[in-house]
Amino acid sequence: MWSFFARDPIKDFNYEILPENQEKSGIWTLSRGKRKTTGEPVSVFMYEVSQGTEEQTQLAKAAFKRTKTLRHPNILSYVDGLETEKSLYIVTEPVTTLAAHLKLQAEKGGASDLEVSWGLHQIVKALSFLVNDCHLNHNNLGMWAVFVDRAGEWKLGGLDHVTSDQGDSTSLPPPKVISPDLERYDPPESPGNGGDKWTGDVWRLGCLIWEVFNGSLPRASSLRSLGKIPKQLVPHYCELVGANPKIRPNPARFLLNCRPPGGFMNNSFVESCLFLEEIQIKEPAEKQQFFQDLSENLDSFPEVFCKHKVLPQLLTAFEFGNAGAVVLTPLFKVGKYLSAEEYQQKIIPVIVKMFSSTDRAMRIRLLQQMEQFIQYLNEAAVNSQIFPHVVHGFTDTNPAIREQTVKSMLLLAPKLNETNLNQELMRHFARLQARDDQGPIRCNTTVCLGKIAPYLNAGLRQRVLISAFSRATKDPFPASRAAGVLGFAATHQYYSVAESANRILPTLCTLTVDPDKNVRDQAFKAIKSFLSKLETVSEDPSKLAEIEKDVTASAQTGGSAATWAGWAVTGVSSLTSKLIRNAPAGSETPPAENSPVPQPAAGPTSNEETVEPDRDRWDDEDWGSLEVKDGYSNYVKSLVFFQFILVFRKYRKCISNNHAFTPSGLSKAELAKKKREERRKELEAKRAERKAAKGPLKLGARKLD
């Protein structure tokens, strides 16, 4: 019974101490640990009474008390503790010693001045808090008393020798009594001989600065050699280690001296860190501007700081601060530093929630940056939580959103289920092709359909593609007609020989007299490709099964989406840009190039930029054989002879009526203007006929498109 009350309290300690990677920190042993219930990582400072002297035990108990009672963002955070007759345990946030951190950074190329400037800022701020607010002296400042947390932020620890500047009832032994090696860090004057209460601590601060840049301090006289200390910091460093204690500045004054423009602690990293510390009291406009500027600076910030300091603030700003679309760019930049598991836990829930937003700016930014997170989205979330919101973009009045929604299907299609892909998406594509008033959007819809063809259901793929591409070849926008031709060529493996001869070739042949030279060139290439396939079957009918093997092949799964979508996402604009540049003067007006993304508006605005570098084009893909083979078989000649007779008759008629192919007295510009005027009159006449046929509208009736 008595053994129950006498059991070891360490067994009931809520933290597990991990034996690996233990470090010595003064009289303490620093170990990694974790909470037994949640597995949350912590650091544990251990002191064994039996292994220390009476003075060391006295210092350990004093440190336990100070760590537990002193609370400041720049002082090592106390989590829990245990004090027994045999040992003392102080549990803190997970940290490592500054010496170990700098050694690790040196292996990666050295710590940047940005990181060091913020680290020193934090230590001086903590020292100022002790001296000016708590009226305490640290008496133990050095590399061994500074620790670095997961975000790369420096924390002041080593509170073993902290004393009150107003006098303590109990006196603690100085550091050099416990460790004689620390005597070289003592100021040259004797204790209490001139100077202010902080003179000893700021001298040791100067020693710390010297060691951060130059390594371990061999002797006190080495402080005269500046070594690698930055020029902006040199004059202020010299004040810290001045022989006259009366000129050594207060820690708060030292901070002010380093903060003017051009100072060592005046840079984008320090400014961003200070803003994040006070973000809760900032105005919404200030937060918007900060997150907008943050994206440009993130590339120069330490990776661990972005993951553990910036990311939580971004998530909080979106969740509770109504930051909106402005957090997206920095959020995705920081997301590059996360593992797949971390991305799923922290970023994906936010992205799913963002898709339900009605903010147009957020929607278009999500669509534009989808390539950065599509790989982390599972099919269930795409079909149930994301796609139903994305499809609203197909009917948006803003052309830029409609355009970007079409492009996003290149990435979403591999993850869509049967219903969403083959029914819902095809319904929207058909409406865009037939009724959208923007030619580039109709063109990109055709291109996108050709690129997602491998994912369509084999039973309806041939019918859908032939119908869609045939409709595109009749579009008034030349780029759309060219896209229809290229769509046929790029998906040639999905058409049977009979469909190629009976439906596709007649459609392509009519385009050999198209007013646009680029459309005619693409049509001739495509015709030769399909004729080559027909000739191959005619010469050797046994090859029919091999040529038509993909016609009824099952749709591809999303497994190949990663590599495919990687190049496809830029292909749309590349193709549109290429075709628009080749459009004749009399064609439908293309969208303005280099126009910025429009802001949310009630009505249509100028279309978004479509000019991109010439890469990832359709004609870079495998189009099959486009070479003309010598000596067509009689079978193939008879198959297409009648079709070419019809085309020739239309061509003769076009020669007599179309000034694009015959010399005339009109210039090209005048001829194009005349054609547009004739087309406008023809459309007005058709509208008048439709209105006359419908009769007058009745009161209360609503006209349907």
Side-chain angles (χ1 to χ4, degrees):
M1 175 178 178
W2 293 107
S3 61
F4 175 79
F5 294 100
R7 62 184 180 180
D8 189 356
I10 296 180
K11 295 182 179 179
D12 298 329
F13 196 40
N14 197 26
Y15 298 88
E16 179 183 351
I17 301 173
L18 304 178
E20 67 272 11
N21 297 326
Q22 292 185 343
E23 301 177 78
K24 199 68 178 174
S25 177
I27 61 174
W28 300 89
T29 300
L30 174 59
S31 300
R32 293 173 56 246
K34 63 179 180 179
R35 190 186 294 267
K36 293 180 180 178
T37 53
T38 63
E40 177 187 1
V42 294
S43 287
V44 182
F45 290 82
M46 302 181 296
Y47 173 76
E48 298 293 338
V49 175
S50 59
Q51 298 179 5
T53 63
E54 183 65 30
E55 291 83 1
Q56 291 176 336
T57 302
Q58 182 184 4
L59 291 174
K61 292 182 178 180
F64 186 93
K65 176 184 176 182
R66 293 296 187 185
T67 307
K68 188 175 182 179
T69 55
L70 283 174
R71 299 284 177 159
H72 188 270
N74 304 127
I75 292 179
L76 195 59
S77 298
Y78 175 86
V79 176
D80 201 349
L82 177 65
E83 182 177 0
T84 68
E85 295 180 355
K86 297 181 179 179
S87 56
L88 283 86
Y89 295 88
I90 301 177
V91 182
T92 69
E93 58 186 316
V95 292
T96 185
T97 61
L98 177 60
H101 175 76
L102 293 178
K103 181 180 179 181
L104 182 63
Q105 292 297 97
E107 295 174 357
K108 299 178 181 179
S112 66
D113 284 350
L114 290 180
E115 180 183 357
V116 174
S117 66
W118 176 239
L120 290 176
H121 185 285
Q122 292 178 295
I123 296 304
V124 177
K125 196 172 181 180
L127 188 61
S128 176
F129 168 74
L130 290 178
V131 171
N132 298 310
D133 298 330
C134 302
H135 304 287
L136 298 173
N137 293 327
H138 190 276
N139 299 318
N140 190 34
L141 185 59
M143 290 280 284
W144 57 90
V146 180
F147 302 88
V148 184
D149 67 7
R150 290 183 296 180
E153 297 198 295
W154 296 11
K155 300 296 181 77
L156 181 60
L159 305 180
D160 309 25
H161 299 271
V162 172
T163 59
S164 172
D165 60 10
Q166 299 174 351
D168 275 342
S169 57
T170 58
S171 59
L172 297 175
K176 62 183 179 181
V177 173
I178 305 301
S179 178
D181 292 339
L182 300 183
E183 186 174 2
R184 63 179 180 271
Y185 298 99
D186 287 341
E189 70 275 4
S190 58
N193 187 14
D196 295 292
K197 57 185 179 181
W198 59 77
T199 55
D201 281 337
V202 295
W203 170 276
R204 295 183 183 90
L205 174 63
C207 298
L208 171 64
I209 293 175
W210 195 95
E211 289 194 324
V212 166
F213 291 102
N214 300 309
S216 179
L217 180 67
R219 63 189 68 86
S221 59
S222 300
L223 294 173
R224 300 173 184 174
S225 174
L226 299 177
K228 299 179 182 178
I229 298 177
K231 292 182 180 179
Q232 309 101 303
L233 193 57
V234 167
H236 312 300
Y237 160 78
C238 293
E239 291 181 352
L240 298 179
V241 294
N244 185 359
K246 295 183 179 180
I247 66 171
R248 295 176 199 158
N250 185 292
R253 170 56 58 182
F254 176 78
L255 274 184
L256 292 177
N257 294 341
C258 296
R259 291 282 294 146
F264 182 70
M265 296 183 184
N266 189 323
N267 53 62
S268 60
F269 186 47
V270 173
E271 296 299 329
S272 298
C273 294
L274 291 175
F275 190 95
L276 288 174
E277 287 188 346
E278 302 174 352
I279 194 170
Q280 303 300 332
I281 61 174
K282 297 294 184 179
E283 295 294 329
E286 293 179 300
K287 295 180 183 179
Q288 290 279 335
Q289 186 63 42
F290 170 74
F291 287 125
Q292 188 172 343
D293 299 337
L294 181 62
S295 301
E296 303 175 2
N297 300 324
L298 279 178
D299 293 332
S300 61
F301 289 0
E303 179 179 328
V304 291
F305 180 83
C306 294
K307 287 176 58 176
H308 299 289
K309 187 73 174 183
V310 177
L311 179 59
Q313 292 292 350
L314 291 173
L315 299 178
T316 302
F318 171 76
E319 190 74 20
F320 305 106
N322 298 322
V326 73
V327 304
L328 285 178
T329 302
L331 182 66
F332 291 136
K333 273 195 172 184
V334 176
K336 296 178 181 178
Y337 301 130
L338 303 180
S339 64
E341 183 179 356
E342 290 173 327
Y343 205 102
Q344 283 287 346
Q345 294 176 351
K346 298 179 180 180
I347 306 292
I348 293 302
V350 176
I351 291 176
V352 172
K353 186 175 181 179
M354 285 179 176
F355 271 107
S356 63
S357 172
T358 56
D359 182 3
R360 277 177 164 174
M362 179 175 293
R363 284 164 53 194
I364 197 168
R365 289 198 186 185
L366 277 172
L367 295 174
Q368 289 171 340
Q369 303 186 56
M370 186 178 291
E371 187 179 12
Q372 301 187 38
F373 58 82
I374 186 64
Q375 59 182 317
Y376 302 105
L377 295 174
N378 57 58
E379 295 183 6
V382 168
N383 286 281
S384 62
Q385 297 176 279
I386 293 178
F387 183 75
H389 296 293
V390 173
V391 293
H392 293 309
F394 289 124
T395 56
D396 200 285
T397 57
N398 191 326
I401 293 182
R402 297 201 303 275
E403 173 87 359
Q404 205 62 48
T405 304
V406 171
K407 293 181 182 181
S408 68
M409 293 303 111
L410 294 169
L411 299 164
L412 289 178
K415 295 178 179 288
L416 295 180
N417 58 29
E418 179 81 11
T419 302
N420 286 337
L421 177 62
N422 296 285
Q423 297 180 24
E424 183 73 9
L425 182 58
M426 292 302 103
R427 180 173 64 84
H428 286 288
F429 272 17
R431 188 193 58 79
L432 287 174
Q433 267 198 322
R435 298 174 57 187
D436 198 281
D437 59 350
Q438 298 289 324
I441 294 180
R442 300 195 300 272
C443 171
N444 283 343
T445 302
T446 303
V447 174
C448 182
L449 181 61
K451 288 185 178 291
I452 67 174
Y455 303 94
L456 297 177
N457 182 280
L460 57 84
R461 178 169 50 205
Q462 182 176 230
R463 175 169 54 85
V464 168
L465 295 181
I466 293 177
S467 175
F469 295 148
S470 298
R471 183 190 297 115
T473 59
K474 300 176 179 62
D475 195 285
F477 188 50
S480 292
R481 299 197 297 275
V485 177
L486 294 173
F488 274 129
T491 58
H492 64 90
Q493 70 272 26
Y494 298 124
Y495 310 119
S496 65
V497 172
E499 290 291 335
S500 300
N502 297 328
R503 297 185 63 186
I504 298 177
L505 275 174
T507 301
L508 294 175
C509 288
T510 60
L511 296 175
T512 57
V513 292
D514 191 274
D516 187 271
K517 178 68 164 60
N518 182 63
V519 176
R520 297 196 302 273
D521 292 343
Q522 297 296 344
F524 281 118
K525 290 181 181 180
I527 289 172
K528 293 172 185 177
S529 174
F530 280 100
L531 286 178
S532 175
K533 184 166 68 172
L534 294 176
E535 182 183 13
T536 300
V537 175
S538 174
E539 296 292 340
D540 188 358
S542 63
K543 293 184 178 180
L544 178 63
E546 180 182 353
I547 289 179
E548 293 187 347
K549 66 180 180 179
D550 292 329
V551 176
T552 57
S554 301
Q556 292 185 13
T557 61
S560 61
T563 55
W564 172 78
W567 64 264
V569 71
T570 57
V572 179
S573 292
S574 297
L575 174 68
T576 308
S577 173
K578 174 191 171 187
L579 297 179
I580 289 176
R581 285 197 299 269
N582 295 330
S587 62
E588 179 175 327
T589 304
E593 295 186 355
N594 299 324
S595 58
V597 177
Q599 296 297 322
T605 60
S606 61
N607 197 23
E608 69 171 351
E609 178 182 4
T610 56
V611 177
E612 291 189 4
D614 294 335
R615 65 181 186 277
D616 298 335
R617 296 173 177 167
W618 279 67
D619 49 354
D620 293 336
E621 292 302 297
D622 183 10
W623 296 87
S625 176
L626 298 182
E627 299 178 356
V628 181
K629 295 190 176 181
D630 296 331
Y632 289 112
S633 66
N634 292 332
Y635 171 76
V636 176
K637 289 181 180 179
S638 62
L639 179 65
V640 299
F641 180 76
F642 182 68
Q643 297 174 358
F644 275 104
I645 290 294
L646 294 177
V647 172
F648 181 71
R649 289 176 179 174
K650 292 182 181 179
Y651 186 76
R652 290 176 57 190
K653 184 177 179 181
C654 182
I655 290 177
S656 62
N657 297 330
N658 195 334
H659 293 287
F661 298 95
T662 58
S664 65
L666 298 175
S667 65
K668 291 185 178 180
E670 292 173 341
L671 181 60
K673 182 177 180 180
K674 182 179 179 181
K675 284 184 178 182
R676 289 197 299 270
E677 186 66 23
E678 291 175 354
R679 177 62 177 166
R680 184 182 63 79
K681 291 180 179 180
E682 181 181 350
L683 292 176
E684 289 180 353
K686 289 183 179 181
R687 293 194 194 101
E689 291 176 4
R690 287 198 296 269
K691 290 182 179 179
K694 293 181 179 179
L697 292 175
K698 294 182 180 180
L699 182 62
R702 183 165 62 92
K703 183 179 178 182
L704 301 176
D705 294 333

